[in-house]
Amino acid sequence: MKRLAWRASLLAGLLAACGGQANETSAPPNAELRRGAEILQPFKRDLQAALQAGLADGIAGAIDVCRVQAPAIAASHAAESIRVGRTSHRLRNPANAPADWMKPVLADYLEGGGRDPRLVPLADGTVGYVEPIVTQPLCLTCHGASLAPEVAKELAELYPDDQATGFRAGDLRGIFWARFPANTPTSR
């Protein structure tokens, strides 16, 4: 039974880690967590579709999706008071640096504080929602310790200060995040 649960978790993590679907195996327990997951879902879905299309063009296509298309996809899912994105404790793109409210959540995930989605009430009356991104085997192509020479060369050219390599399967890669007003409907 544990092995089946592990496999389901691995599949959900693979989808989430590489821009995929929300973890469908366990619905968030309260309304605010559900709202956060609902807000984030379209961004993750579109990011996954773009990444799959980019991978069809090879690794360079996948790198281009993360570099160029991912920020545009996040912007397309923003509304007047809703923002979505992804960040990490080990950045590839400095434009994805975590906001101050995200840093303690990242630190707690890294210190073994579980892998459940989280809410962070923010001082301005908004809510921060995060879901962990868990490194999956496919992600190691661009984020692992041993990269193919052409991948390493491309990443070095595009990101001379890249910190987003050296991951192993199962490592926390970062977080997907959403920021939205407290107690407002999700429809946009």
Side-chain angles (χ1 to χ4, degrees):
M1 187 61 94
K2 281 188 177 184
R3 187 175 194 125
L4 286 175
W6 179 84
R7 284 183 181 170
S9 175
L10 179 65
L11 178 59
L14 174 59
L15 292 172
C18 294
Q21 306 299 314
N23 183 352
E24 309 268 349
T25 59
S26 60
N30 72 41
E32 292 290 302
L33 282 170
R34 281 192 301 275
R35 284 184 43 235
E38 289 170 5
I39 288 168
L40 202 51
Q41 181 61 30
F43 166 61
K44 291 170 46 179
R45 180 195 61 230
D46 291 353
L47 185 58
Q48 178 187 24
L51 187 57
Q52 287 174 336
L55 282 169
D57 294 333
I59 295 300
I63 292 171
D64 188 58
V65 167
C66 287
R67 186 174 66 84
V68 177
Q69 293 182 42
I73 293 168
S76 76
H77 288 286
E80 183 176 324
S81 58
I82 296 173
R83 299 286 179 268
V84 297
R86 60 197 173 120
T87 189
S88 181
H89 54 293
R90 291 173 33 198
L91 294 172
R92 173 158 287 158
N93 182 347
N96 290 337
D100 288 342
W101 67 267
M102 299 171 195
K103 292 175 185 177
V105 178
L106 276 165
D108 191 54
Y109 280 145
L110 288 166
E111 292 169 6
R115 298 273 173 99
D116 292 328
R118 308 256 180 104
L119 287 176
V120 178
L122 302 172
D124 65 356
T126 62
V127 175
Y129 171 83
V130 300
E131 293 178 7
I133 301 172
V134 178
T135 306
Q136 301 302 315
L138 178 62
C139 303
L140 298 177
T141 305
C142 296
H143 294 286
S146 179
L147 304 178
E150 64 275 9
V151 174
K153 181 179 185 247
E154 176 98 8
L155 291 174
E157 289 173 7
L158 294 171
Y159 303 103
D161 297 322
D162 186 13
Q163 301 171 18
T165 59
F167 288 95
R168 295 174 304 181
D171 286 350
L172 179 74
R173 169 69 191 93
I175 56 172
F176 287 112
W177 61 268
R179 183 175 178 152
F180 53 94
N183 302 316
T184 21
T186 57
S187 58
R188 295 179 266 171

